Amino acid sequence: AALLYAEQRQKWWAWLAAGIVGGLATLTVATFLLVSLAAVGWLVLRQLLPRATHRNWVPAGLLLLGIAVCIAPVTLRNHRVSGQWILVSANGGINLYLSNNENSAETMAIRPGLDWDYLERTALREGARNAGEADRLFMRKTFDYIVAEPVDFSLATARKLRLLMGAREIPRTTDVYMAREFSSLMSMLVWKVGPFAVPWGLVFPLSLLGIPPLVMKAQRLSLVPL
């Protein structure tokens, strides 16, 4: 929405604000950086297309600047505290690895405790000397698996999609449905009847309803092909 607003207004502050939104989202969930960088990449690609009527690199630069303004303080603090250049956090690799490996059914079932500690020490056993190296090691193991086993990776992704569409809030360290017994607020916000569940049963249909207007607006602004 911020990107569409910036495209419509074509003001420098709107592009910068869109970048800040992307940067803040990245600090909340580090993997959102891929979405932010994809937006920057699209703005760059649009300038390189033969049909581009004029070259204007300013929006891409402002978008990237907004992202960097949010992330840079965290990266600098990480370096000051640990001596390592870690962009946002060092847990992205292991989180990505959890459900993307040849034994994903087992690793996804791991809960905090001895099994989790053993998984974390995998990186140390394989030569990682610090958190940054451990993060990169898990990333490398994940991508090696994807390249080596594309069919298994695709099937595992389909299974995860099925779990997502199942609407039940899958427990990790705690089970959110247990909280309903002790909180009147949670009893209203989290419940399930047959295949229908709240909040997913409401959020998912609403998100689908929001897609067509965004696509149509993007088409009007020539952000996507007609």
Side-chain angles (χ1 to χ4, degrees), residues 111-151:
R111 297 293 179 263
L114 293 177
D115 290 339
W116 179 260
D117 293 341
Y118 183 82
L119 176 64
E120 277 192 314
R121 293 193 181 97
T122 298
L124 298 177
R125 293 193 299 273
E126 297 187 15
R129 295 168 295 180
N130 52 53
E133 289 185 4
D135 187 50
R136 290 189 290 273
L137 185 142
F138 277 113
M139 287 281 189
R140 187 169 64 251
K141 287 171 71 70
T142 300
F143 290 118
D144 287 347
Y145 157 73
I146 293 173
V147 172
E149 302 288 348
V151 175

Side-chain angles (χ1 to χ4, degrees), residues 111 162-172 174-178 190-192 194-201:
R111 297 293 179 263
R162 179 179 59 80
L163 290 173
L164 175 67
M165 299 302 293
R168 184 180 188 275
E169 297 292 326
I170 300 173
R172 184 67 184 160
T174 58
D175 190 337
V176 69
Y177 293 102
M178 291 185 64
V190 182
W191 47 270
K192 191 173 188 294
F196 183 79
V198 171
W200 180 246

Side-chain angles (χ1 to χ4, degrees), residues 58-141:
V58 173
L62 289 171
L63 195 64
L64 194 60
L65 177 62
I67 297 169
V69 163
C70 294
I71 296 176
V74 176
T75 305
L76 292 173
R77 183 188 180 279
N78 286 342
H79 185 265
R80 182 173 62 85
V81 172
S82 66
Q84 304 164 49
W85 289 108
I86 298 173
L87 198 64
V88 176
S89 63
N91 64 345
I94 193 170
N95 285 330
L96 184 65
Y97 175 81
L98 275 177
S99 63
N100 296 290
N101 64 81
E102 59 275 9
N103 299 309
S104 59
E106 297 177 11
T107 53
M108 287 174 64
I110 293 176
R111 297 293 179 263
L114 293 177
D115 290 339
W116 179 260
D117 293 341
Y118 183 82
L119 176 64
E120 277 192 314
R121 293 193 181 97
T122 298
L124 298 177
R125 293 193 299 273
E126 297 187 15
R129 295 168 295 180
N130 52 53
E133 289 185 4
D135 187 50
R136 290 189 290 273
L137 185 142
F138 277 113
M139 287 281 189
R140 187 169 64 251
K141 287 171 71 70

